[in-house]
Amino acid sequence: MTEPKDLKQLISQRQLARKLAMIATYQWQMTQNSYQDIYIAIQDDRDLSKDFRKADAAYFQELLKYVIANAEAIDALIIPLLDRGVAQLDQIELAALRIATTELKNHPEVPFKVVVNESVNLTKKFGADQAHKFVNGIVDKLARQLR
């Protein structure tokens, strides 16, 4: 059975929104710039702005704004599952965990396996060599807690 074209398009738009939200979360973690400054930086970047035009913009905005406004609450959910402090985490790992936690908490319509898979794929793409295994373990535990 093939998926309807609309569903495939939604999946693709959401994947791009997650990717951009992770990049933007990473930028925010590194700079503490405002949402507005990070949004403008994405629009000014040729490759990222091209992705943004194909992404689910509302989903991107919701994810990033939630992470920025609720980082401490998100971290409070992650910390008990870590083998080290948040400050010792690689910034890519932390961005992936924050986005995944936001999705698990706020988007029950997204299957938890999709959240796990997407966070692992993004960490494989942007993170250190074995970081995806760490993220996989934490997001899997989070999914059991939050869902």
Side-chain angles (χ1 to χ4, degrees):
M1 186 177 118
T2 58
E3 296 171 340
K5 191 175 182 184
D6 290 350
L7 183 59
K8 281 187 175 178
Q9 187 176 9
L10 175 68
I11 289 168
S12 174
Q13 290 170 339
R14 287 273 174 103
Q15 285 174 327
L16 280 171
R18 280 184 199 97
K19 172 187 161 187
L20 292 168
M22 189 167 130
I23 290 168
T25 297
Y26 174 82
Q27 287 179 356
W28 173 74
Q29 289 168 179
M30 300 304 284
T31 65
Q32 294 298 300
N33 285 346
S34 69
Y35 167 82
Q36 198 62 35
D37 288 343
I38 292 168
Y39 181 86
I40 290 167
I42 287 173
Q43 299 307 318
D44 288 346
D45 182 285
R46 196 168 47 122
D47 293 332
L48 295 180
S49 66
K50 207 181 306 174
D51 279 352
F52 191 83
R53 286 192 294 278
K54 297 180 206 159
D56 181 337
Y59 200 69
F60 160 82
Q61 291 170 350
E62 191 279 323
L63 291 173
L64 181 60
K65 284 179 177 178
Y66 188 86
V67 167
I68 290 172
N70 299 284
E72 284 183 32
I74 293 168
D75 292 353
L77 294 168
I78 298 168
I79 288 167
L81 307 173
L82 299 176
D83 57 2
R84 56 192 163 220
V86 171
Q88 285 74 48
L89 285 179
D90 175 82
Q91 292 298 310
I92 294 289
E93 293 171 3
L94 182 56
L97 291 172
R98 285 175 166 166
I99 295 296
T101 304
T102 299
E103 276 198 286
L104 288 170
K105 264 183 69 63
N106 299 347
H107 293 280
E109 78 281 5
V110 178
F112 79 90
K113 288 185 176 183
V114 170
V115 177
V116 172
N117 193 38
E118 290 289 311
S119 60
V120 167
N121 288 341
L122 286 169
T123 308
K124 279 182 182 176
K125 181 174 177 131
F126 296 109
D129 199 19
Q130 299 297 312
H132 67 280
K133 293 178 183 176
F134 172 76
V135 168
N136 183 52
I138 301 299
V139 176
D140 193 55
K141 288 176 191 165
L142 265 172
R144 282 186 235 148
Q145 265 181 18
L146 297 174
R147 293 280 174 97

